[in-house]
Amino acid sequence: EEALIALEKLKAWSDTSPHGISKFAKLLQAQSQNALLQEVGLTRLSGLLGEVRDQKTQPAGLAPRALMPIVAAAMERFPQDKQVQRQGCSALRAISLSPSSGLSACLEADGAKMLVAVMRQHLRDVDVCRTAATSLATMVNKSQGSPVEMSRLRSCGAQALLQDILV
């Protein structure tokens, strides 16, 4: 019953203040053994970011540097769960698209390396790999013109992964 209540709370989450996102993270942590709740939480984070993407200023709680640990923790809890990983990749994409230095924050927190690790782990799952690859492509497209970001992307291991796939 506690998990069902948490599930409904996560699905309807709208508080994007720093305090609200802190409560969101605590709810995910309290349900850390439940893959479905991690998946729903990651899906909701992507949704919240999508809802504010075109606004000039983002709510303070949706700061990319604050969200990266939440996404990473959920993905680390269930590395074998395809849906958690897929939604985690989508959340990384949403963070990287954030106007307030989202890509930099994502890359500094090893977001691109996380995507490559997901593709390696789930090489036989087309949906997971497609989502991870799309997220990585989004990062590459957004990084154009930034030598620092391009350097981080070059060192994420994607080239080696592609070579392994094509050999």
Side-chain angles (χ1 to χ4, degrees), residues 87-145:
Q87 292 306 322
C89 292
S90 292
L92 291 173
R93 179 180 181 275
I95 291 169
S96 72
L97 288 170
S98 296
S100 53
S101 68
L103 180 59
S104 293
C106 192
L107 292 174
E108 287 168 14
D110 289 333
K113 288 181 181 179
M114 291 167 63
L115 293 170
V116 171
V118 167
M119 284 190 274
R120 273 200 188 282
Q121 182 73 35
H122 298 279
L123 209 46
R124 304 233 184 274
D125 189 291
V126 174
D127 290 333
V128 173
C129 287
R130 182 182 303 122
T131 303
T134 300
S135 299
L136 193 59
T138 297
M139 291 179 185
V140 170
N141 288 335
K142 192 166 181 195
S143 72
Q144 298 303 316

Side-chain angles (χ1 to χ4, degrees), residues 37-98:
L37 287 171
Q38 304 304 302
E39 176 190 343
V40 168
L42 291 168
T43 302
R44 187 63 194 129
L45 273 183
S46 295
L48 291 169
L49 286 164
E51 291 169 14
V52 301
R53 185 172 297 134
D54 296 329
Q55 295 177 5
K56 295 217 188 268
T57 57
Q58 267 188 315
L62 295 181
R65 281 180 176 74
L67 298 180
M68 282 302 298
I70 297 170
V71 173
M75 292 176 75
E76 288 168 7
R77 286 181 193 118
F78 295 96
Q80 303 297 326
D81 190 291
K82 295 172 184 179
Q83 293 308 316
V84 170
Q85 296 306 306
R86 196 166 149 262
Q87 292 306 322
C89 292
S90 292
L92 291 173
R93 179 180 181 275
I95 291 169
S96 72
L97 288 170
S98 296

